Amino acid sequence: MDDLADVYNDLIMEHSMNSYNKKHLNNPDFCEIGHNPNCGDEITLELKLNGDIIEDLSFTGHGCAISQASTSIMIDTLRGKTVKEAKEIIATFIGMIKREITDEEDLKKLEDAIAFRNVSHMPARVKCALLAWHTIEDILNKNEK
Ligand code: ZN
């Protein structure tokens, strides 16, 4: 099996090359930088809350195809979700990449982000895939304080 072809599927390529989520928001409530020195990935996530709902998200920055696509697909997945739903999805994604969550029913809540499943077999790419997800975790934890 060709691991690379397996990981860099169409969805990931599409989001890494030309993401409509790569932009600035008007008056974001949160702005957080995520950095992965192993690969040189650096993103800035912007987030706008409306009460308990994640109204909008966007990102800027640069990095490898996996980090950029993971950020963009995460944004699509979490936009419109409640903070509680988002936290469950984030925990599931991290669990999937760490191979701690493998149950198909659990993984369904990831929607398109399930495309990163095979990254769990590529240790060098794991931090790239998790960068945006850890960054938004930081934002949501700050929001609780
Ligand atoms: Zn990377």
Side-chain angles (χ1 to χ4, degrees):
M1 192 167 73
D2 183 349
D3 264 355
L4 276 180
D6 215 34
V7 169
Y8 294 89
N9 60 43
D10 288 348
L11 186 72
I12 292 177
M13 289 313 290
E14 199 184 302
H15 278 267
S16 69
M17 286 189 294
N18 187 19
S19 174
Y20 44 79
N21 292 318
K22 199 167 187 173
K23 60 180 183 188
H24 288 287
L25 297 181
N26 287 328
N27 303 316
D29 296 306
F30 293 92
C31 203
E32 183 85 19
I33 295 172
H35 187 214
N36 170 23
N38 293 40
C39 179
D41 307 317
E42 195 173 304
I43 56 154
T44 302
L45 270 185
E46 296 180 23
L47 182 149
K48 204 169 169 57
L49 282 177
N50 182 355
D52 198 30
I53 308 275
I54 296 177
E55 185 172 287
D56 208 0
L57 286 155
S58 73
F59 78 107
T60 53
H62 57 86
C64 66
I66 292 288
S67 70
Q68 302 295 293
S70 179
T71 306
S72 181
I73 292 171
M74 178 191 81
I75 287 173
D76 278 352
T77 307
L78 299 184
R79 186 183 286 122
K81 299 287 196 296
T82 65
V83 170
K84 185 170 178 281
E85 287 167 340
K87 284 186 167 181
E88 280 175 25
I89 293 169
I90 294 162
T92 304
F93 186 85
I94 295 170
M96 174 183 78
I97 297 293
K98 291 183 173 172
R99 290 200 244 178
E100 291 162 1
I101 297 176
T102 54
D103 185 80
E104 294 294 332
E105 277 304 309
D106 287 341
L107 295 179
K108 266 186 196 162
K109 67 166 79 89
L110 294 178
E111 300 172 17
D112 281 351
I114 202 165
F116 291 91
R117 198 172 192 174
N118 291 321
V119 171
S120 64
H121 303 294
M122 302 178 74
R125 296 266 84 93
V126 162
K127 284 186 176 160
C128 305
L130 289 180
L131 177 63
W133 300 79
H134 282 312
T135 307
I136 196 164
E137 237 188 352
D138 289 346
I139 293 177
L140 295 180
N141 287 338
K142 273 184 191 169
N143 179 47
E144 276 184 0
K145 282 171 196 163

